[in-house]
Amino acid sequence: MSVGRIRVIGGTLRNSRIEVPDLPGLRPTTDRVRETLFNWLQPVVEGARCLDLYAGTGALGIEALSRGAASVTFVEREPGLAAALKANLARLKAPAGDVARDDAARWLQGSARPFDLVFLDPPFALDAWADTARRLEDGGWLAPRAWIYVEAPRGAVFDLPDTWLPHRQGQAGDVAYALYRRTPADPLS
C-alpha cells in the first residue's frame, strides 16, 4: 500500500503532514475546502468537542485539533485507515484525538454524548447522509446548538433534519459542502 500526504492548513500543527494510505474510494477533503470550512468555524472551533464520523484520513478532525478543539473522536471502520490515523495522531502528539475503529452506524447505537461540532463526510457510494443525520439528531449526539459540516457529491439530494439550518455552503469540482447550525426544536433550550 503506497502512502500519500496531505498537510494541516492552520493552527498549532500548521504545515504538518498527514500520511494517507492509498485506498480505493478514499477522497480526502481538499486543502481549499478545509481552509474555507475552518475560516467559517474560526469563532467556534476552540474548545469544541468534535466528532469526525467516517473519518478516513482524519484531515478534518486533525485540523480541528490544530485549531484548538478540546477533543475529537474519530470513527473509521477500515482497519488500515484507523491504524494510519492512530499513527498520525501519535506522531503529531495529539492526545486529544481518540480513534474508534467501528462502523459509524453501529457506533451511533452506543451511549450518546453531545458534540459541539460534527463532520459528516461519508464515502459517496454509501449514500449515508440522511440516515446518519437522523441518527445524530435523534440519538442525542448533538449539543443544542451544534455545528454540522456535510460533504457530498455535487447535486446530491437527501433529507436532513428540520432543526439543521443552513449557515454557509460552497462547491469545489464535483463536491458540494455545507455548514449547518442546529437549532433546538424547543425554542426555550
Side-chain angles (χ1 to χ4, degrees), residues 50-55 58-62 72-76 118-119:
C50 304
L51 174 60
D52 192 350
L53 273 174
Y54 308 98
L60 293 171
I62 291 171
V72 177
T73 299
F74 298 86
V75 179
E76 176 52 53
V118 175
F119 302 106

Side-chain angles (χ1 to χ4, degrees), residues 8 10-16 62-63 65-68:
V8 178
T12 59
L13 299 173
R14 184 177 185 199
N15 291 325
S16 296
I62 291 171
E63 194 76 47
L65 287 171
S66 180
R67 293 170 187 252

Side-chain angles (χ1 to χ4, degrees), residues 66-150:
S66 180
R67 293 170 187 252
S71 64
V72 177
T73 299
F74 298 86
V75 179
E76 176 52 53
R77 72 176 179 180
E78 208 292 319
L81 286 172
L85 183 47
K86 286 180 183 181
N88 280 321
L89 290 169
R91 184 177 47 76
L92 295 170
K93 296 179 176 66
D98 177 51
V99 179
R101 192 179 77 69
D102 203 350
D103 176 75
R106 184 174 44 243
W107 188 85
L108 289 172
Q109 292 173 0
S111 298
R113 58 188 184 277
F115 289 94
D116 304 307
L117 174 58
V118 175
F119 302 106
L120 176 53
D121 179 16
F124 288 0
L126 285 183
D127 191 22
W129 295 276
D131 181 60
T132 305
R134 190 171 38 261
R135 289 172 189 262
L136 286 165
E137 182 65 31
D138 296 344
W141 293 100
L142 300 173
R145 300 202 179 276
W147 294 91
I148 306 101
Y149 170 76
V150 178

